[in-house]
Amino acid sequence: MEQNKLDSSQIIGFLFLIGAFLWMFMFQPDFDEENKITNDVIQENIDNQNDYESTENFNSNLITDNSIKENQLIVLENNDVKFIISTKGAQINEGVLKNYKNQEENDLKIIDNNQVFSFEFNTLSNQPFNSNNLFFDYTENETNLGKEINLRYVNDSGEKMIFNYFLPKNGYLLKLKVKTIGFNNLIGRNSKIDLNWNFDSFRNSKSQDYENRYTYLNYQDKDQDVKDLSAYSEDDDVDSAKWISYGQHFFNSILIFNNVKDDIEFTSLNLESDSNDRKFLKRFKSKIPINYNQGGEIDENFEWYIGPNDYYIIKDYDYKISDSIWFGWGIFGWINKSIFFPLYNFLSNHFSAGIAIIIMVILTRLVMSPVQYKMYLSQAKMKILKPEIAAATEKYKDDPMKRQQETMKIYNQAGANPLQGCLPAFIQLPVFYALFCFFPVAFALRGESFLWAEDLSTFDVIAELPFYIPLYGDHISLFPILAGVTMFFYTSMSGSQQMQPTQPGMPNMKYIMYIIPFSLLIFFNNFASGLSLYYTISNILTIIIMLTVKNVILDEKKILLEIEENKKKPKTEGRFQRRLRKLQEAAEQAQKQQKQRNK
């Protein structure tokens, strides 16, 4: 048998295979590293797609070249709002609410080169960086969901800053994403990044003082409580916030963060406060510290409501931004939000604004009529007891303590209580104050006319004055005059039924009868005519109810018989009356002891 052996070619081939295997084993790139490189490339592509939220390549849609340092304006609009965005700073230069007009009947612009929105920090070389000074390239992309504008700045070293605006087909909520790529090479770990949002609010109403009163900065803090800066004077604060609202009476600009921002510096300043024809009312400033992400980059998502301060529009958005509307504090705000706003919204869907207000007056007065009846009944009892009270006052005119005791005795025997006449009035106060807060924020009144009033959300004018009167203005409004006149008749009629105070130092109702109507006439001259209309109708209806109750429902003879019957009944002191009697007796005893010591 032939012996098997390896020839030289086989040996060479075998050695070659061994060498090839060793080379592959020793010099093959690490599989994990290769995957990492591949994944990084894929992730960068995904990031680029996410940055622009478009499947199209950025360069294929490139409209401007970064080397061309000129400003271009881009239109971003939907059915409700139109924005013009500048490639310089990626700023919103103009914001137009397409469904609303200003006082000159022109397109209402919330933003018109009156806003700054910029990121600022110092670089590692201590050079100031301000995104407002950068020129951006941009692309546009429109889908069935809405339209987006992608703006990108690239510096000479390849670092990028990207602004992505997205506006849906309908509504007032603009979405903004801001991120950087490679800025960790520019930003030091100890550097502070600030977002500065400055805004000058336009005057959009005839009454600048009235509008300025409801133009203010507020924000939702980390505990979801809404806090306000003063609307009447310059103010500042440092606090955390989930969103910041620059309220402009009937319009608003609300910036919503993706997370709560801490140590925000808020400032509110009055502008041109000495002018009677102001273009701007207030300047709002917010300096917002921005934290960079783990990679040392800016990566922020914002939602930006720019639209009407209409409760029935703004309440449909998240994060309780409708709380930026001030309905009144405590129970007054609850009454407005739960009763008057739904009631007026229902009525205004079926009637004109003026008729809706009148019906709201009638319904409110009917609901409050039982309270008024109690008040008028108490006044009738006081009128019957007036001769006895006057006699007791004359008898003990030199002894105030005894006079007070005798007066309380007469009330107790007759079954009357002077507080019964005051309590109904106090019960009505929350309702009336809630209405006072309702009309300034009732967006539905804006632009609605009634009789001679062209706009129920601001004052009516029947005559212009050639001069300005402090507190009154430079015009004459008719509705406040009617409110003052009807209030005068009401206070005159109700005052004639009330007893004048017998205690020294107590105010005389005759003076109050003139002060209240005069105050209405002066201060309501610059208020919403809808408010004056409400009080005018309310006063007329109150007079009618008062005459009906006193002349038809109440019978003074029956009330007198009731008082006489009460006097015959044995009386037991209540806890309050007993305590009051003991206090009076203790005070009387102290007076006697003091007199004895003086002797």
Side-chain angles (χ1 to χ4, degrees), residues 86-100:
S86 169
T87 57
K88 184 178 185 294
Q91 295 278 309
I92 301 177
N93 276 15
E94 189 173 303
V96 181
L97 303 186
K98 300 166 74 171
N99 301 318
Y100 303 98

Side-chain angles (χ1 to χ4, degrees), residues 156-209:
D156 296 336
S157 304
E159 291 85 5
K160 302 173 184 177
M161 188 170 202
I162 300 161
F163 280 65
N164 175 270
Y165 290 97
F166 176 79
L167 185 66
K169 290 288 186 181
N170 298 287
Y172 302 93
L173 194 67
L174 179 68
K175 294 186 178 182
L176 170 61
K177 297 181 180 180
V178 180
K179 71 178 300 182
T180 60
I181 300 174
F183 268 49
N184 53 357
N185 298 322
L186 300 176
I187 307 173
R189 286 292 179 178
N190 296 323
S191 296
K192 180 182 177 183
I193 307 172
D194 290 320
L195 169 59
N196 288 308
W197 181 31
N198 303 334
F199 184 88
D200 291 350
S201 64
F202 284 114
R203 172 189 174 185
N204 289 307
S205 176
K206 287 193 298 184
S207 177
Q208 61 183 25
D209 294 333

